[in-house]
Amino acid sequence: MLIDLSDILSVDGKTKELKMPVSMDSFESKLGSFPVVEKQPLDVVITNTGKKVLRIEVKGKVNLALPCDRCLKDVATEFEIDLEKEVDMKTSEEDRIKDLDEINYITGCSLDIEQLVHNEILIHWPMRVLCKEDCKGICSHCGKDLNEGPCSCEQESPDPRMAAIRDIFSKFKEV
């Protein structure tokens, strides 16, 4: 969804407050496609602070279904959209690239809300997603979810040369 910024740029000190719906039904990236489970309308405040400088404030929430890193069950993960940015509209896109200012959600005199949300989700992407802290994952042989119980796969006997290291790790679990 695009917001036309030309009417705000025409008057210094002008402020525009909007409630913008998030129209994306899934988040697409090189990581894959993740469905949007819940989305709230975004509170957008755009202020012309003078000399063609805009202050953009966006607040809202989007929940995506991300797979657990151990068992692959979907986990509703909340992404807080909380952006405050000043954009100098006098600079060209080439100058922004030279200054390493990667604002790809403003093109000409338009603000692309969907691209802004996409960027914020990427920035806040979690390092690890777990359905629960003690998730046991899946069996590497048969693929059974070990949270639902043990599988019938044959358990390998551990290498006796690793006993010293195993003892060290078992002490960490006790703490």
Side-chain angles (χ1 to χ4, degrees):
M1 177 156 301
L2 296 175
I3 299 174
D4 184 24
L5 301 174
S6 58
D7 59 331
I8 299 169
L9 285 169
S10 62
V11 180
D12 286 354
K14 185 172 183 175
T15 298
K16 191 174 195 176
E17 295 184 24
L18 304 163
K19 271 229 185 273
M20 299 297 294
V22 178
S23 63
M24 69 170 59
D25 294 322
S26 67
F27 176 77
E28 309 287 331
S29 74
K30 291 181 180 178
L31 301 170
S33 178
F34 306 95
V36 174
V37 179
E38 183 184 342
K39 51 191 171 183
Q40 295 179 355
L42 301 173
D43 294 319
V44 180
V45 179
I46 305 168
T47 306
N48 183 346
T49 60
K51 297 182 183 176
K52 293 199 173 202
V53 175
L54 296 179
R55 179 169 179 76
I56 300 171
E57 299 173 56
V58 181
K59 295 187 186 312
K61 292 181 185 174
V62 176
N63 285 343
L64 300 180
L66 303 181
C68 174
D69 286 342
R70 293 183 186 159
C71 69
L72 303 177
K73 286 184 182 172
D74 281 344
V75 179
T77 306
E78 184 177 283
F79 290 89
E80 186 89 22
I81 310 298
D82 189 7
L83 173 84
E84 290 184 24
K85 182 97 173 158
E86 285 198 0
V87 180
D88 188 354
M89 297 299 286
K90 293 183 300 265
T91 59
S92 66
E93 288 183 39
E94 294 82 26
D95 290 339
R96 287 187 196 143
I97 292 170
K98 287 178 189 173
D99 294 339
L100 299 177
D101 192 2
E102 299 179 6
I103 301 177
N104 63 345
Y105 48 85
I106 293 183
T107 307
C109 281
S110 297
L111 170 65
D112 187 350
I113 290 294
E114 296 301 315
Q115 186 62 47
L116 186 143
V117 170
H118 186 272
N119 290 358
E120 287 297 301
I121 290 173
L122 275 179
I123 289 170
H124 296 100
W125 196 264
M127 293 296 289
R128 181 172 32 165
V129 177
L130 295 176
C131 59
K132 56 185 179 180
E133 203 56 43
D134 62 341
C135 177
K136 295 177 183 170
I138 57 176
C139 175
S140 60
H141 296 290
C142 67
K144 181 180 184 328
D145 186 352
L146 298 175
N147 294 314
E148 297 170 359
C151 65
S152 60
C153 292
E154 198 174 299
Q155 298 296 322
E156 294 179 20
S157 58
D159 187 342
R161 296 173 289 181
M162 299 298 285
I165 294 174
R166 202 172 30 258
D167 290 341
I168 292 170
F169 284 118
S170 67
K171 290 177 185 175
F172 284 119
K173 288 183 180 179
E174 292 171 4
V175 175

